[in-house]
Amino acid sequence: MAKQALILVDIQNDYFPQGKWPLVGADAAADNAVRLLNAFREAGDSVVYIRHEFTSSEAPFFTPGSEGAKLHPKILNRADEPVVLKHFVNSFRETELKSILDEQGIKELVIVGSMSHMCVDGITRAAADFGYTVTVIHDACASRDLEFNGITVPAAQVHAAFMSSLGFAYASVISTDEFLAANH
């Protein structure tokens, strides 16, 4: 049994240029996620997909049953790769994610996906709190510009701030190339 799992968080259509909530760098992040996915599959390591849907059709994106809430075509699961449906930022909240990982004896998580400042942050902190060893692949994650108190914070700064914070106490934060060179 593999002790390591790749977790692909919310790599869904609405986050791409034609979607309802496009992120800066979504395509480049997904391309790196594909490289990692291929390496994990080749090594026979576990892969788990997270897919977010809001419970209301009034949501700004990821509305139930919409095309935008589907996994992006670059990142489609195989029949033996579970997709965990969630309705909250934290991928562990009210989902079967922890049971899936525990059944496989997973101890280490490699996290990629979107958004850096929301669901990637949420799953990383929760996973560390559950005792998993966590690695976040920073260039396989994407974010967007945010606004606070009349100030626009560019996506690159949002992403850097969250990666810095996660790297301080919750995870090892490295690039796709660094991870692949060391692990696969």
Side-chain angles (χ1 to χ4, degrees):
M1 276 195 295
K3 299 296 181 218
Q4 172 177 258
L6 176 65
I7 311 294
L8 299 118
V9 180
D10 301 351
I11 302 177
Q12 296 168 246
N13 292 328
D14 271 345
Y15 280 156
F16 287 81
Q18 303 309 312
K20 291 182 181 177
W21 204 256
L23 304 181
V24 174
D27 278 305
D31 289 343
N32 282 327
V34 169
R35 292 174 58 209
L36 293 157
L37 175 60
N38 291 337
F40 270 73
R41 284 175 171 169
E42 191 174 299
D45 287 336
S46 295
V47 176
V48 179
Y49 298 75
I50 308 295
R51 193 174 69 78
H52 195 141
E53 272 191 11
F54 290 101
T55 55
S56 167
S57 59
E58 303 301 314
F61 58 99
F62 294 165
T63 55
S66 69
E67 190 64 30
K70 291 181 181 176
L71 293 175
H72 191 272
K74 288 182 182 185
I75 304 288
L76 294 178
N77 67 303
R78 296 189 314 206
D80 63 333
E81 296 169 340
V83 178
V84 174
L85 177 64
K86 69 178 174 80
H87 302 295
F88 300 99
V89 170
N90 177 351
S91 299
F92 289 98
R93 183 176 171 190
E94 298 178 28
T95 71
E96 68 275 14
L97 177 58
K98 188 156 185 341
S99 327
I100 289 169
L101 299 173
D102 290 349
E103 285 170 13
Q104 296 180 38
I106 301 297
K107 303 292 183 207
E108 300 175 18
L109 303 183
V110 177
I111 296 173
V112 302
S114 300
M115 295 184 287
S116 304
H117 64 279
M118 290 298 293
C119 297
V120 169
D121 181 65
I123 189 175
T124 301
R125 290 171 188 260
D129 287 345
F130 277 127
Y132 296 100
T133 300
V134 185
T135 301
V136 176
I137 309 300
H138 67 80
D139 58 0
C141 297
S143 192
R144 67 190 325 253
D145 292 356
L146 296 181
E147 186 275 329
F148 177 73
N149 206 22
I151 299 168
T152 297
V153 183
Q157 291 179 10
V158 171
H159 178 76
F162 276 81
M163 293 299 117
S164 173
S165 176
L166 291 175
F168 182 76
Y170 289 96
S172 170
V173 179
I174 61 174
S175 71
T176 302
D177 288 342
E178 289 170 316
F179 180 84
L180 291 175
N183 295 281
H184 285 93

